[in-house]
Amino acid sequence: MHIFFVGYMGSGKSSLGKRVAHELLLPFLDSDKEIEKKYNRTIPEIFSELGEAKFREIEKEFLDNLPLNEKVVISTGGGTPCFHGNMDKMNELGLTIYLKRPVKELAHRIENSKKSRPLVDHLQGEDLDEFIAEHLTERESFYSICKIIPSREDQTVKRLVEMIDTYFSSFEKK
């Protein structure tokens, strides 16, 4: 079973996912990085050259091609769960964890990130806050069907590893 980190851009999916994978001695995949490698383009270039609809198809293809016989920690793109039945697919393939963060924190993290984010690169300040709030409202119905939604205080490597261990140990007891 795979372990998927889900959440809005800037929520810490890649950084926490990588650290959790290290603790669990599992491989780590960042879906955006894997897509960039496969297409030899950055995510902003893919958005610009191929469009968002094609990018969402590429994300689905990434999920469809995951190896079924390996346990891997995966950070997904912020929109991945919201298209093509991807959230259901991830829940079928393993454990999904939603890193829910407040709008102000997300905006701060996004504004201070060196990473290019095609959906919000043109926004800042209150415009960015409003966009994130609106977008989160649209995406919440997808994110909220994750199997684990830790509180903000529980979004530490130690607590996430404990939750993951508890989740998987419940299967071993059955």
Side-chain angles (χ1 to χ4, degrees):
M1 290 183 88
H2 302 305
I3 301 165
F4 295 94
F5 280 90
V6 170
Y8 201 73
M9 66 180 99
S11 62
K13 301 178 301 284
S14 295
S15 57
L16 273 171
K18 194 178 299 180
R19 291 167 51 212
V20 166
H22 179 76
E23 279 297 309
L24 294 171
L25 305 174
L26 292 173
F28 172 75
L29 293 175
D30 178 312
S31 65
D32 284 349
K33 297 253 184 281
E34 295 301 312
I35 289 168
E36 287 178 337
K37 271 193 269 183
K38 180 175 180 177
Y39 286 84
N40 200 29
R41 292 179 171 91
T42 66
I43 298 303
E45 288 170 342
I46 294 170
F47 258 73
S48 170
E49 295 169 19
L50 304 176
E52 183 179 3
K54 179 63 178 169
F55 176 70
R56 299 306 178 190
E57 288 175 25
I58 291 169
E59 286 179 314
K60 180 185 181 335
E61 182 183 292
F62 168 80
L63 291 176
D64 288 343
N65 291 313
L66 286 172
L68 297 177
N69 57 348
E70 288 180 40
K71 196 173 190 179
V72 180
V73 176
I74 302 160
S75 74
T76 64
T80 303
C82 310
F83 298 89
H84 302 293
N86 290 341
M87 192 66 232
D88 292 335
K89 173 90 172 175
M90 290 185 287
N91 274 324
E92 286 172 24
L93 292 174
L95 172 61
T96 50
I97 302 169
Y98 172 24
L99 298 178
K100 187 173 187 171
R101 303 282 174 111
V103 170
K104 288 281 188 200
E105 181 182 350
L106 291 169
H108 177 75
R109 293 169 66 103
I110 290 168
E111 280 188 316
N112 292 309
S113 172
K114 292 178 177 74
K115 186 176 180 184
S116 179
R117 301 178 188 275
L119 292 176
V120 296
D121 278 349
H122 62 289
L123 301 170
Q124 56 188 9
E126 286 183 27
D127 292 337
L128 180 59
D129 291 358
E130 285 177 30
F131 180 87
I132 292 170
E134 223 173 89
H135 227 199
L136 268 176
T137 300
E138 295 168 10
R139 292 179 173 190
E140 189 67 30
S141 63
F142 297 97
Y143 294 162
S144 66
I145 57 175
C146 281
K147 295 176 181 174
I148 295 178
I149 305 174
S151 69
R152 180 63 187 96
E153 295 75 29
D154 282 336
Q155 292 180 30
T156 65
V157 173
K158 182 178 188 243
R159 281 294 296 134
L160 290 167
V161 166
E162 288 170 0
M163 288 180 208
I164 291 165
D165 286 342
T166 300
Y167 178 83
F168 285 112
S169 69
S170 70
F171 285 99
E172 293 166 7
K173 292 177 184 171
K174 291 180 180 179

